[in-house]
Amino acid sequence: MFGSITFGGGVVLTGTALGGGVGFVLARHAWSNRDVPGATLFSSLILAVAGWCVFSLLLLTSTSLARARLWTTLIGVCVTAIPVLWLTFALEYTGRDDWVSRKTLPLIWAEPVLYTVGSLSSPHHGFANDSAALVTSDGLTALSVVHTPSFYFHLVYLFVVLVTGFGFFTAFLVQADRLYRKQTVAIILAGLLPLVGTAVFSFVDLNIAFGLAPVFFAASAILDCLALFRYDFLNVAPLASEVVLSEMDDPVIVVADERIVEYNPAAKPLFDGDTIVGRDLESVVPGLLDAVSSDEPFSPPSVLADGGSVGETPIYDPRSTPIRDHHDAHRGDIFVLREITSQKRREETLRALQSATRRFMNAERPEEIAEIAVQTADEVLDHPYSSIFFPEDDGAVLRSVAMTDLMRDGLDGELTFSRDAESMWSVFESGTPVVYESVEQLSKPPYGYLPLGCLLSLPLGEHGVLAVGSDTRKRTFTENDRRFARILASTTETALDRAQRERDLRESQAMVEERTEQIEFFNGVLRHDILNGITVVNGNLELLEPHVAATGESYFETVRNWSEDIGQLTEKVRSVSQTVTDSESVSLESVSLSDALSRRVTKVRNTYPNVSIDADIEDGLAVSGNELLGEVVENVLLNAIEHHDRDDPSLVIRTRRSEETVRVEIEDDGPGISEEMKTRVFDRNVTSESTGSIGFGLYFVSVMMEQYDGSVWFEDANPCGTVAILSFPQLSADAPLT
């Protein structure tokens, strides 16, 4: 077959084959550069062109009508996809990504999909219908087809889609920044190449389908690829795009070869004319390069303000960033001038607020802190109508305790807000700031007496409200105004909290000192008066004992026992008072709990022979305590006996050991304790209903157990009675005993 191919046929065959190969290579290259706008859709477009070339190559070398019709149908599918892909590529490249959505794409693809499905299901209306016939020319095979009207409608639709894509590119060319114009022109010319070639070829022979069109499209793809990926035709592209430049608040100047090639609207006040592009940077903005190289602030010689007059000269912090393309070649520089005039003003304000904070630290009275706050609002924040309100003790009125001089002169007296004044009270009770920037709001009492432009009320926690107001020159608060006012309110609240804590601390210290003096007084009474009296009584009892008749011995013993008990009670009171008031921690050591329990059980048995005691005490129990541990245990034992309702009480003593605690359980078979008394029985002034005695013993037990880092409580016994539980922290087995 190939032997009959003429020179012209060979050119067509070779061109089509090269077109398919080049198309696949370009599609792969475009996909590898898919981070470039439109590259993904461009890859799909070139892939369709490559498919067109491959199927055309198969058609040109086919020998049967059936295969020729198949290849022609597949060519039709590729040709149908190309205009739609061209349009979507144009939309994405020109920045109309939002047009490529789930709603618009089905509308664009509707006709091509319906026609393709119809041609495949009904060959009579397809790309190669029943009229198709093989035609041989220059040794190559083509297909001659008489198309139906639906095919021409389909062809017109594709043409409209194709022209629409060119329309978007043309509109973008008119509006685009100069950085993109050469690239856009290259893409439009590359797109026109296959249209012109196809039109010429179709005009020569209308009965041969498609012909050299795929070759023209492949050549067009080469030009597009060069424009997009290899030679981007941009001066400093696309890293300094017009969108970034126009949206930045700071002045931005793009420079190539030390000449200005682009700038954003914020940079216009730096120039003294409109013809700036192409001029030398140093001549337009003198001193900028030196400031960048020395890393110093930059201030232009003069800045034109609105109306042509020279306004306040700003200060900038200039920064230079090199622009490099994807080949790492230096293409230019971007100069960004960040204005720091307002920053310096903020820094000065913050320094002034810090100075006010130091004054707050030296103030002791809340009224003094309030005066410092309103002075700072006036002198530092430029809010001449400021005041602070504190709530009255009855919580019904907010009363001004400090205000600026202008506000005091304007009101001629203090300012109060009752609860029906919802605005100020809502700030105080809800903790939410309220701002007034309306003339209508500020014209009402009590603000109507003052020339206020705007007012901001900020909560001070439980202390009150800080209100800062500006005169009529300012009708709204800037973000800096609000931020600095919040800082002042927070600092004022912190200072008021500190003053409140220090006042409470002074009152607490005075109370502690007073109670300490009282305890020391009572300790002196116990130590000198009661103990001395008991000593005298005991001495006289010893002298009196030989003179007591037999009939009076029982009374004599009663007096002596009471005297001894009073002496022991006095010693306990001294121990507890010293323990509670001691400024340092109680000195604890490892004490044998087993020995302390055994000794106290023996003492109680000897003192109360009518009491039955069943003791199960484990050997080797050690806890953290001191010499009063035995007194603690004895008080619990005596409490069980004293509050028993029978003359022959029964007590059971058990010890329990766990990994963390050692427990002592003292169970009696008495009347028990109510739930209320289980928590109140350890209070200092609880009186027993049965004996009338003050429960000092259990108070002593609770205080000492707290010192031992332990705890004590009561539980119900089964079937009756009470279980007193003493719980101590477990000590290590090798802790030395004292």
Side-chain angles (χ1 to χ4, degrees):
M1 170 184 176
F2 292 102
S4 59
I5 298 177
T6 65
F7 176 78
V11 171
V12 172
L13 193 64
T14 303
T16 304
L18 288 176
V22 170
F24 283 116
V25 172
L26 293 180
R28 183 180 181 280
H29 181 65
W31 178 254
S32 64
N33 291 272
R34 54 187 176 275
D35 56 326
V36 177
T40 301
L41 283 172
F42 179 75
S43 176
S44 303
L45 174 64
I46 301 306
L47 189 63
V49 172
W52 186 358
C53 292
V54 170
F55 295 133
S56 296
L57 185 65
L58 294 173
L59 172 63
L60 294 173
T61 58
S62 62
T63 57
S64 66
L65 178 61
R67 289 185 178 276
R69 294 179 63 181
L70 173 62
W71 305 136
T72 301
T73 300
L74 294 177
I75 290 172
V77 173
C78 294
V79 172
T80 298
I82 288 174
V84 180
L85 291 173
W86 167 259
L87 175 60
T88 52
F89 165 65
L91 291 173
E92 182 171 339
Y93 178 85
T94 58
R96 295 178 173 85
D97 304 67
D98 54 331
W99 291 33
V100 185
S101 64
R102 295 182 178 180
K103 293 182 178 179
T104 57
L105 284 180
L107 296 177
I108 300 174
W109 281 94
E111 195 281 337
V113 171
L114 290 175
Y115 182 82
T116 301
V117 172
S119 65
L120 295 176
S121 60
S122 178
H124 179 68
H125 299 285
F127 299 103
N129 54 36
D130 297 338
S131 65
L134 285 176
V135 177
T136 301
S137 177
D138 294 331
L140 300 179
T141 301
L143 198 65
S144 178
V145 183
V146 178
H147 293 290
T148 61
S150 61
F151 172 82
Y152 292 103
F153 176 82
H154 176 62
L155 199 63
V156 170
Y157 177 82
L158 295 181
F159 180 77
V160 171
V161 170
L162 202 63
V163 171
T164 304
F166 278 103
F168 283 118
F169 274 116
T170 304
F172 181 73
L173 176 64
V174 175
Q175 301 173 0
D177 183 81
R178 62 181 61 86
L179 298 177
Y180 288 101
R181 286 177 181 168
K182 289 184 179 181
Q183 188 182 64
T184 307
V185 169
I187 293 175
I188 293 175
L189 292 178
L192 289 175
L193 177 61
L195 291 182
V196 174
T198 302
V200 172
F201 185 82
S202 299
F203 180 78
V204 173
D205 189 354
L206 295 177
N207 291 325
I208 300 179
F210 309 120
L212 288 177
V215 179
F216 295 125
F217 269 103
S220 170
I222 295 175
L223 294 178
D224 281 333
C225 195
L226 290 175
L228 286 172
F229 309 120
R230 181 67 179 114
Y231 304 107
D232 49 18
F233 298 114
L234 304 180
N235 293 329
V236 193
L239 305 176
S241 69
E242 58 179 330
V243 176
V244 175
L245 293 175
S246 62
E247 294 297 326
M248 290 186 66
D249 295 329
D250 296 324
V252 179
I253 304 174
V254 183
V255 176
D257 297 328
E258 297 186 358
R259 295 187 177 277
I260 299 175
V261 297
E262 186 59 272
Y263 59 89
N264 68 342
K268 289 183 179 180
L270 298 173
F271 311 137
D272 57 0
D274 296 331
T275 308
I276 304 300
V277 175
R279 292 176 57 185
D280 183 73
L281 175 64
E282 183 62 25
S283 65
V284 177
V285 191
L288 177 59
L289 292 176
D290 292 337
V292 172
S293 61
S294 60
D295 195 21
E296 295 180 353
F298 169 72
S299 181
S302 62
V303 178
L304 295 179
D306 293 338
S309 61
V310 178
E312 179 185 3
T313 301
I315 302 174
Y316 296 101
D317 179 23
R319 290 289 183 267
S320 173
T321 302
I323 303 175
R324 299 184 181 276
D325 60 15
H326 48 281
H327 302 293
D328 201 32
H330 183 264
R331 306 293 296 275
D333 297 276
I334 296 180
F335 291 88
V336 180
L337 285 72
R338 184 170 62 89
E339 185 177 354
I340 58 176
T341 309
S342 59
Q343 176 183 338
K344 288 186 174 295
R345 197 173 296 120
R346 289 194 297 269
E347 292 174 353
E348 293 175 356
T349 303
L350 288 175
R351 281 196 296 269
L353 290 175
Q354 290 174 354
S355 176
T357 301
R358 289 190 291 271
R359 295 175 60 195
F360 281 138
M361 297 301 295
N362 296 325
E364 296 183 356
R365 297 183 303 106
E367 293 77 11
E368 184 179 356
I369 294 173
E371 286 291 344
I372 295 174
V374 297
Q375 289 176 10
T376 304
D378 183 10
E379 299 171 2
V380 176
L381 305 185
D382 193 24
H383 299 315
Y385 294 97
S386 300
S387 59
I388 283 186
F389 301 88
F390 285 173
E392 294 288 334
D393 294 337
D394 57 4
V397 174
L398 286 171
R399 187 178 304 277
S400 60
V401 294
M403 60 179 63
T404 57
D405 294 337
L406 273 179
M407 188 167 183
R408 185 179 293 106
D409 296 340
L411 292 175
D412 194 22
E414 66 179 12
L415 186 62
T416 60
F417 289 92
S418 59
R419 282 193 172 273
D420 55 358
E422 297 181 357
S423 58
M424 195 64 69
W425 274 94
S426 66
V427 175
F428 174 59
E429 294 180 338
S430 68
T432 303
V434 172
V435 62
Y436 294 112
E437 296 175 328
S438 168
V439 176
E440 180 181 356
Q441 291 174 321
L442 296 174
S443 62
K444 300 177 181 178
Y447 312 116
Y449 304 107
L450 302 171
L452 286 171
C454 50
L455 179 69
L456 175 60
S457 299
L458 300 121
L460 299 176
E462 62 180 12
H463 306 290
V465 176
L466 166 65
V468 295
S470 297
D471 54 29
T472 53
R473 292 175 302 171
K474 181 184 294 186
R475 288 296 183 182
T476 183
F477 288 105
T478 65
E479 184 58 34
N480 282 337
D481 291 334
R482 299 181 186 226
R483 179 166 58 250
F484 292 141
R486 288 194 296 268
I487 293 174
L488 177 60
S490 177
T491 306
T492 304
E493 182 180 354
T494 301
L496 292 171
D497 287 339
R498 176 193 55 79
Q500 178 68 37
R501 287 194 300 269
E502 291 179 353
R503 185 168 61 251
D504 294 342
L505 180 59
R506 287 192 296 268
E507 294 175 356
S508 177
Q509 288 174 341
M511 185 179 299
V512 169
E513 291 174 358
E514 181 181 358
R515 290 183 178 178
T516 301
E517 292 177 357
Q518 293 174 349
I519 291 175
E520 289 177 352
F521 168 75
F522 288 120
N523 277 338
V525 172
L526 293 173
R527 184 168 55 253
H528 295 98
D529 297 340
I530 298 180
L531 287 181
N532 288 343
I534 292 299
T535 302
V536 173
V537 170
N538 288 337
N540 282 275
L541 285 175
E542 292 179 1
L543 296 174
L544 183 62
E545 186 174 4
H547 304 286
V548 176
T551 57
E553 288 182 358
S554 62
Y555 301 106
F556 181 84
E557 285 297 325
T558 300
V559 173
R560 183 162 59 187
N561 290 338
W562 271 100
S563 177
E564 292 176 354
D565 289 345
I566 292 174
Q568 293 174 0
L569 178 62
T570 303
E571 290 291 344
K572 291 177 182 178
V573 171
R574 289 181 59 196
S575 299
V576 172
S577 63
Q578 291 173 0
T579 300
V580 173
T581 59
D582 195 348
S583 60
E584 298 181 357
S585 300
V586 176
S587 178
L588 301 179
E589 52 196 1
S590 178
V591 180
S592 174
L593 178 61
S594 301
D595 292 346
L597 283 171
S598 299
R599 286 196 299 269
R600 297 300 169 168
V601 168
T602 300
K603 179 180 178 181
V604 172
R605 281 173 175 167
N606 294 335
T607 305
Y608 301 96
N610 59 324
V611 177
S612 172
I613 301 179
D614 181 10
D616 180 13
I617 302 173
E618 183 180 345
D619 294 333
L621 296 177
V623 297
S624 180
N626 56 14
E627 69 276 3
L628 295 177
L629 178 61
E631 294 291 334
V632 173
V633 175
E634 181 178 343
N635 269 275
V636 179
L637 292 171
L638 294 179
N639 181 77
I641 297 172
E642 179 183 352
H643 297 287
H644 208 284
D645 57 350
R646 297 200 311 269
D647 295 333
D648 55 345
S650 295
L651 303 181
V652 178
I653 301 175
R654 298 180 295 268
T655 58
R656 309 239 187 242
R657 187 202 300 263
S658 67
E659 293 182 358
E660 299 180 354
T661 62
V662 174
R663 288 177 42 159
V664 178
E665 299 178 357
I666 301 175
E667 179 179 344
D668 64 62
D669 58 350
I673 303 176
S674 66
E675 292 297 327
E676 179 185 1
M677 287 300 295
K678 285 179 183 177
T679 56
R680 295 185 56 236
V681 73
F682 297 106
D683 293 346
R684 181 170 53 186
N685 297 322
V686 174
T687 302
S688 171
E689 296 180 358
S690 60
T691 65
S693 63
I694 297 176
F696 176 78
L698 291 181
Y699 173 65
F700 167 74
V701 171
S702 67
V703 171
M704 296 310 302
M705 289 300 294
E706 183 178 350
Q707 296 296 322
Y708 297 157
D709 290 332
S711 56
V712 57
W713 69 92
F714 285 101
E715 295 181 357
D716 294 331
N718 188 15
C720 63
T722 305
V723 181
I725 300 175
L726 304 173
S727 178
F728 300 86
Q730 175 72 275
L731 291 183
S732 60
D734 56 352
L737 296 177
T738 58

